[in-house]
Amino acid sequence: VNSDVVAEDTAVAPVVAAKKTPATPIVPAERVKRKPGAKAKAEAGEALASAHHEATDALRSVAEQSLDQVRSAFARSQEASLSFARGFEASGHVVQSGLKEIQTRVTDVLEAEAHAAFGYFRAMTQVKTLSEIIDLQASQLRKQFERNFDEARDLSSLATAVATKASEPVRKAFSHALEAQRPSH
């Protein structure tokens, strides 16, 4: 059985050797004759590369413009935030001084009420009849009502003035922030 395998191998060997092709010589690129379509393919490749570079440049330009817009919007937002902070700070100072003024006014009102109460008690010690007590009480209640009404009106107008003054810096900051957020063209 082994002798058959050997015989077959020797018979096939010359056929295999005959099928080998000789090595192709290497020819420099400038001497290679190209097929007529090869030049068109090369030009198409160059055109494709050029289009790729143009698209890349256009994309880069759009990205840079977008980045510039984002930077500009961020700067405007930062400026608006600082403006708001300054507005609220100024508003806080106005409110603080306004509250001091209201506190002083309330203290004055309470002092006036205390003096009025002592005056009423002093007058009560000098009455002699029931009708004088009724007249004194009616007079005291009327005066107290008028004083309280006037003081409430004054305190209300003072509080309104303080609120108006305090809201002005915030309103200006808000207007400035809206203007800053509009993109400049």
Side-chain angles (χ1 to χ4, degrees), residues 58-143:
L59 185 59
R60 183 178 294 121
S61 174
V62 168
E64 287 173 355
Q65 287 176 352
S66 296
L67 184 61
D68 289 343
Q69 289 174 351
V70 167
R71 284 180 180 151
S72 176
F74 179 75
R76 288 191 311 265
S77 294
Q78 191 174 20
E79 181 182 334
S81 296
L82 291 174
S83 178
F84 265 132
R86 287 189 294 268
F88 279 110
E89 185 178 0
S91 178
H93 291 302
V94 170
V95 168
Q96 185 179 13
S97 66
L99 287 177
K100 283 182 182 178
E101 189 175 341
I102 289 172
Q103 184 180 19
T104 301
R105 180 69 182 130
V106 167
T107 303
D108 292 345
V109 166
L110 291 175
E111 186 179 359
E113 286 292 321
H115 286 294
F118 281 119
Y120 170 71
F121 292 135
R122 190 173 294 130
M124 283 292 277
T125 59
Q126 296 175 357
V127 294
K128 300 195 187 308
T129 65
L130 184 62
S131 66
E132 287 178 347
I133 292 176
I134 293 174
D135 288 342
L136 183 62
Q137 282 183 338
S139 172
Q140 176 65 19
L141 286 174
R142 188 181 74 254
K143 287 178 186 176

